[in-house]
Every structure is written in C-alpha cells, then in structure tokens.
Amino acid sequence: MTEEDAIKLILNIHPFPGWSADSLYPHLKDQLSRLDFEILFEHNSHSIIHTYKQYLLHKLKNPNRQCIDKSIGTTQTVISLIQLHFTDLETHKEAEFASIRQCNAQASNLTFSLRLADLVWRIAGDQSTDMNYYSKRATLAAIYTSTLLYWYHTQAPIHEIIDFFAQRLQNLHAITKAGKTLEKSAKNLIKNTQLLRKVFSNP
C-alpha cells in the first residue's frame, strides 16, 4: 500500500477521529499492519498531515482534471483552480477542519498555502520573474489562508467561499493597479489600506 492509498482510506473515515496515529490506525488495521503504517507515516501526525497535503497538490495538478479554459484570463483561471481545490476539500471537510485545528499542523498549513499558490500560478501560465514572482505567490497564499479560515469558521457553501476569495483577489488587483497609476498621497494611502483590510479579513 502506498502513502496515497492510505490517505484515501483515511479521508473516508466518518466521523473523522483526528490526525494522530493512535486515532487513525484502528480504522485501518484490516488493510495494513501497524508496522507498515508506522513505516509509511513515521508514527506521527505531522507526517500524516504532510502526506495529506501532498495528496491535495497531486490532485490539483493532475492533467486529467485541468479542464479549465485558460482563454478566460489569468485571474479567472486562478479562481477556477481554487474552486476546484475547495470542491475537493468539501468532500472530506471533517479531515480538513481537523488539520486546521491541529496545533502542530500550523507550519504545514503555511507551507502548503505557499506551495498551492505556486502551483496555481504555474498552471495559470504565470511567467513572472524577480520579486513579482515571489509577491504573487505570497499574496495568493495569504488570500487562500484567509479564505480557508473563513470557510472553517462559517462552513458556508462553496459558491460563497469562492465569492469571498474572488472579491479579495479583485481588491488586491485594485491595490496593485492603484500603486502603478496613482500618486502617493495620504488620501490614496488610506484608500489602499482599507482595501488591504478587505483582502485579508472576513466581511
């Protein structure tokens, strides 16, 4: 059994018992031995969650699932990819919410947000270089994290989650455009600060 096979079994456990090895293994003991389980995941929740996050990335970058028409433009492609990702999360949201709650998963969640942002931009055809390359990924990761927490706290339907994400992405584009075209002034600084609050906060 591969790590991905084990993760698929784990995501089908209901109710979800948490990400600790001791909580998960009793549900898998008919499929693999305890030794095999510990070899796969090093007997700790961090390793299991890390493998789960890897699985999510592999799903998104599967060419058979990337049926998005990129002629809709880069921004809409990004939104469509994030919608596809959240649709995946919705199928096993108990497990995802448990990973958000788990304290030692915080670093893993941050790393995942950055890796997801990089993957989304690459699939969308981004060819930026220099600091623009890093700023796009950092800001998309921040918006994604804000959206993920909004979903966690509200458990709103996916279409509302994507509206939340899209609005913050559009606010960010407004800030970027303003920074290129407007003079730096106290008035514009206040306006952009207000937009930034909308990007990274709940409504």
Side-chain angles (χ1 to χ4, degrees):
M1 181 180 291
T2 66
E3 291 179 338
E4 184 171 310
D5 291 334
I7 290 297
K8 289 178 180 178
L9 291 173
I10 287 170
L11 295 179
N12 283 320
I13 299 173
H14 299 289
F16 193 76
W19 285 101
S20 72
D22 289 338
S23 297
L24 291 171
Y25 180 71
H27 299 274
L28 305 175
K29 62 182 180 181
D30 292 337
Q31 284 81 21
L32 74 167
S33 69
R34 185 69 187 227
L35 178 59
D36 288 338
F37 181 82
E38 292 180 2
I39 290 173
L40 285 175
F41 299 119
E42 302 176 3
H43 193 61
N44 65 72
S45 58
H46 176 77
S47 176
I48 303 171
I49 292 174
H50 174 75
T51 305
Y52 161 61
K53 299 297 185 180
Q54 286 284 100
Y55 170 70
L56 292 175
L57 293 174
H58 288 161
K59 286 193 72 175
L60 189 61
K61 69 181 179 182
N62 185 335
N64 296 326
R65 303 184 74 232
Q66 293 173 21
C67 53
I68 298 170
D69 181 5
K70 296 181 184 177
S71 66
I72 59 178
T74 302
T75 298
Q76 286 303 315
T77 299
V78 168
I79 293 171
S80 295
L81 288 166
I82 293 297
Q83 181 172 6
L84 185 61
H85 171 68
F86 270 99
T87 300
D88 287 339
L89 296 185
E90 178 70 23
T91 64
H92 47 76
K93 69 179 182 180
E94 286 183 51
E96 178 60 27
F97 288 172
S99 78
I100 295 172
R101 288 192 298 268
Q102 191 132 349
C103 293
N104 65 0
Q106 290 179 357
S108 178
N109 284 328
L110 175 59
T111 300
F112 173 78
S113 296
L114 290 168
R115 295 186 64 192
L116 176 68
D118 178 55
L119 177 61
V120 167
W121 278 122
R122 285 192 285 111
I123 295 175
D126 176 61
Q127 297 180 349
S128 60
T129 58
D130 301 327
M131 288 304 297
N132 198 32
Y133 173 93
Y134 298 102
S135 63
K136 279 187 173 183
R137 281 145 180 81
T139 51
L140 181 57
I143 295 172
Y144 167 75
T145 299
S146 175
T147 305
L148 184 69
L149 292 175
Y150 174 70
W151 179 50
Y152 172 72
H153 288 296
T154 66
Q155 299 192 34
I158 294 301
H159 72 273
E160 290 185 16
I161 301 305
I162 299 309
D163 287 346
F164 179 95
F165 173 84
Q167 183 60 55
R168 275 140 190 80
L169 194 62
Q170 290 164 5
N171 287 341
L172 183 63
H173 288 328
I175 294 169
T176 303
K177 184 177 179 180
K180 291 179 179 179
T181 60
L182 298 177
E183 293 181 359
K184 294 181 179 179
S185 68
K187 181 179 179 181
N188 291 330
L189 179 60
I190 293 172
K191 179 180 178 180
N192 287 348
T193 300
Q194 291 171 340
L195 284 171
L196 276 170
R197 287 175 178 169
K198 292 180 180 180
V199 170
F200 299 117
S201 64
N202 295 342

